[in-house]
Amino acid sequence: PALRAQTLDKFSYQTNWRAQAEHGGFYQAVATGIYRKYGIDADIRMGGPQQDPNQLLVGGRVDAIMSNSFAGFNYARENIPFVVAAAVMQKDPQVLISHPGVGNDTLPALKGKPVLIGAGGRTSYWPWLKSKYAFTDEQARPYTFNMAPFLADRTLSQQGFLSSEPFAIEQAGVKPVVHLLADYGFDNYQTTINTSWKMVNEKPDLLQRFISASIEGWVSYLKGDPAPANALIKRDNPDMDDVKIAYAIKAMNEKGIVDSGDAKTLGIGAMTDARWKSFYEAMVAAGAVPAGLDLSKAYTLRFVNKRVGMG
């Protein structure tokens, strides 16, 4: 008898930047057929500087987007019908980077000293640094995503991501001191899977399959052979090479960016009510988000904490 081809459900996911190791689990699930195993024809769409994933989600152009906890707070604040459904990264890879040998070996030591900060940081982690470590706006300097000022001035610190800027700085001949904000209590969930409440309510099975398959992709990427995903990453983003990707994977594994905290017991993608509540309260105290938000509008635990990929 003739075999009928399995009908695959289409699902589109918009990333927040150009293809990189930090997106590797999604590419791995494509490259190794994990999404197809779950009955999904997944379209992982690469982001870039001219794209706003939230606008694409609001406009119905994609089924889900990559974002973070702050997007969930915004959904609740603006009463927008979208929701955070999973969090791949237990630790936000946001870092501050300092020169060695100048007394900037801990995050609190940067109090009162010049730090190069971009516009996005001013409304997210900078208020937290001011609240927790008494940083001041006077010490903040504009960051233009050019590392030349940092490299030329040993008194400067600058923002970055754990798996990218430190690598570039090392290539320039400086072994930087890297302060991972998550290790100091900045509990922002990063690389989230955000979607519409319409998807949650009308296609929960499809959303569950996409999230579970993505988690399996991340397990495979970080603990198995990442070569299938890396080939797709380099195809989509020729600026990536094997050395950059290997550095990023090593950094993510060593610092537990994906597989740490609640993910150790609940599986990759984990979120908890306690973590959402405590981070929200910290951001309210820092003046970064308003008090009184209904967090049930920001996130759902329905699709995570199922120990997917844990054996």
Side-chain angles (χ1 to χ4, degrees):
L3 294 175
R4 272 190 305 181
Q6 179 188 21
T7 302
L8 300 175
D9 295 311
K10 292 186 178 299
F11 194 98
S12 54
Y13 181 66
Q14 178 69 50
T15 72
N16 60 358
W17 199 245
R18 297 187 182 98
Q20 54 191 283
E22 292 87 336
H23 306 161
F26 301 104
Y27 283 95
Q28 185 83 340
V30 171
T32 61
I34 294 172
Y35 285 127
R36 296 183 71 86
K37 182 185 77 172
Y38 276 85
I40 296 174
D41 176 11
D43 180 11
I44 307 300
R45 302 182 184 177
M46 184 172 70
Q50 307 305 320
Q51 289 180 323
D52 181 349
N54 278 294
Q55 286 186 352
L56 295 174
L57 184 62
V58 169
R61 302 281 297 279
V62 294
D63 294 313
I65 64 169
M66 181 183 293
S67 193
N68 55 46
S69 298
F70 286 96
F73 297 151
N74 190 52
Y75 302 152
R77 181 178 61 208
E78 303 294 338
N79 204 29
I80 303 171
F82 298 97
V83 62
V84 181
V88 169
M89 291 186 176
Q90 292 294 303
K91 293 183 179 183
D92 188 330
Q94 185 71 55
V95 297
L96 293 184
I97 304 163
S98 302
H99 285 267
V102 294
N104 291 336
D105 294 336
T106 66
L107 189 62
L110 304 189
K111 175 184 174 182
K113 299 174 182 177
V115 184
L116 304 176
I117 298 291
R122 297 265 188 159
T123 57
S124 56
Y125 61 85
W126 190 254
W128 173 81
L129 287 167
K130 289 163 60 180
S131 173
K132 185 165 183 178
Y133 293 110
F135 284 29
T136 64
D137 287 334
E138 287 72 28
Q139 68 184 102
R141 308 282 191 274
Y143 179 56
T144 60
F145 297 89
N146 176 359
M147 287 175 293
F150 170 82
L151 292 169
D153 185 348
R154 287 168 55 81
T155 69
L156 286 178
S157 296
Q158 71 156 61
Q159 72 172 48
F161 282 97
L162 176 72
S163 43
S164 52
E165 278 82 1
F167 173 80
I169 290 169
E170 283 188 24
Q171 299 304 297
V174 175
K175 180 71 172 176
V177 178
V178 180
H179 313 286
L180 182 64
L181 301 189
D183 285 347
Y184 286 88
F186 185 65
D187 278 342
N188 182 35
Y189 285 125
Q190 190 58 268
T191 310
T192 54
I193 298 173
N194 298 11
T195 189
S196 63
W197 280 108
K198 179 180 172 68
M199 173 68 72
V200 168
N201 294 324
E202 296 183 6
K203 297 182 179 180
D205 173 68
L206 174 57
L207 180 57
Q208 182 68 74
R209 283 184 283 133
F210 177 78
I211 290 173
S212 295
S214 299
I215 292 168
E216 282 196 21
W218 275 101
V219 172
S220 173
Y221 187 66
L222 293 177
K223 299 181 180 180
D225 177 11
N230 292 346
L232 294 184
I233 290 169
K234 289 184 289 184
R235 181 199 68 188
D236 284 0
N237 181 7
D239 288 340
M240 282 295 141
D241 59 34
D242 290 328
V243 177
K244 285 182 184 176
I245 291 173
Y247 181 95
I249 293 173
K250 183 172 183 282
M252 286 191 288
N253 278 326
E254 286 183 349
K255 286 294 188 176
I257 297 300
V258 173
D259 191 15
S260 65
D262 295 317
K264 286 292 189 186
T265 55
L266 301 174
I268 288 172
M271 302 190 298
T272 66
D273 292 324
R275 166 102 174 242
W276 272 98
K277 182 174 183 288
S278 66
F279 184 59
Y280 172 63
E281 290 173 349
M283 291 303 100
V284 170
V289 294
L293 296 185
D294 179 0
L295 289 185
S296 69
K297 295 180 177 180
Y299 70 95
T300 175
L301 304 182
R302 178 176 175 180
F303 304 96
V304 293
N305 305 344
K306 302 177 187 297
R307 297 174 60 84
V308 172
M310 296 187 72

